[in-house]
């Protein structure tokens, strides 16, 4: 997987929005989520996969880019699933309260 293929794959993930113009800069749920840097070690992505802020993940090799893509997909899907579960629970709570 090339860097360009990674960027295209990220753009296809439902919920990620590229605000970058020339350089990819992805937001998720209206917050900065992923952007790329290069230094003497190579290309890496700063990604917000947890609550602690951005963490660097190497993206210089095809294997690193595939691993990054997998981590992003897992994170987005997990949060989408959690949010849907939360909404269903809230709806059940409201229904239960209205029956009382």
């Amino acid at each position: 997987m090339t860097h360009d293929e990674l960027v295209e794959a990220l753009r296809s993930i439902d919920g990620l929005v590229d605000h970058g113009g020339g350089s990819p800069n992805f937001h998720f749920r209206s917050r900065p989520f992923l952007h790329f840097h290069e230094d003497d070690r190579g290309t890496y992505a700063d990604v917000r996969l947890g609550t602690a802020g951005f963490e660097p993940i190497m993206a210089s090799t095809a294997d690193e880019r595939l691993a990054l893509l997998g981590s992003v997909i897992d994170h987005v899907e997990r949060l989408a699933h959690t949010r849907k579960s939360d909404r269903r629970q809230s709806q059940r709570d409201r229904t239960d309260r209205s029956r009382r």
Side-chain angles (χ1 to χ4, degrees):
M1 168 175 273
T2 67
H3 180 78
D4 289 340
E5 290 170 335
L6 170 61
V7 170
E8 286 307 310
L10 291 168
R11 286 180 178 140
S12 73
I13 297 173
D14 194 28
L16 287 187
V17 179
D18 184 1
H19 289 275
S23 179
N25 184 352
F26 292 92
H27 287 212
F28 178 60
R29 293 186 174 172
S30 302
R31 292 185 63 206
F33 176 71
L34 182 151
H35 56 273
F36 293 96
H37 297 279
E38 287 191 41
D39 65 12
D40 56 335
R41 297 173 296 159
T43 302
Y44 65 96
D46 274 337
V47 186
R48 191 186 308 257
L49 293 175
T51 58
F54 287 102
E55 60 184 274
I57 298 179
M58 292 304 298
S60 290
T61 68
D63 287 342
E64 290 170 343
R65 290 186 286 268
L66 282 171
L68 170 62
L69 180 60
S71 295
V72 169
I73 290 170
D74 289 346
H75 179 78
V76 169
E77 286 180 353
R78 185 176 64 250
L79 288 180
H81 176 71
T82 300
R83 192 170 209 185
K84 287 178 185 175
S85 295
D86 291 346
R87 278 197 304 257
R88 283 194 297 268
Q89 183 62 44
S90 293
Q91 288 170 344
R92 281 193 294 266
D93 292 345
R94 283 193 302 271
T95 301
D96 290 344
R97 283 193 301 264
S98 68
R99 290 181 181 163
R100 292 181 193 161

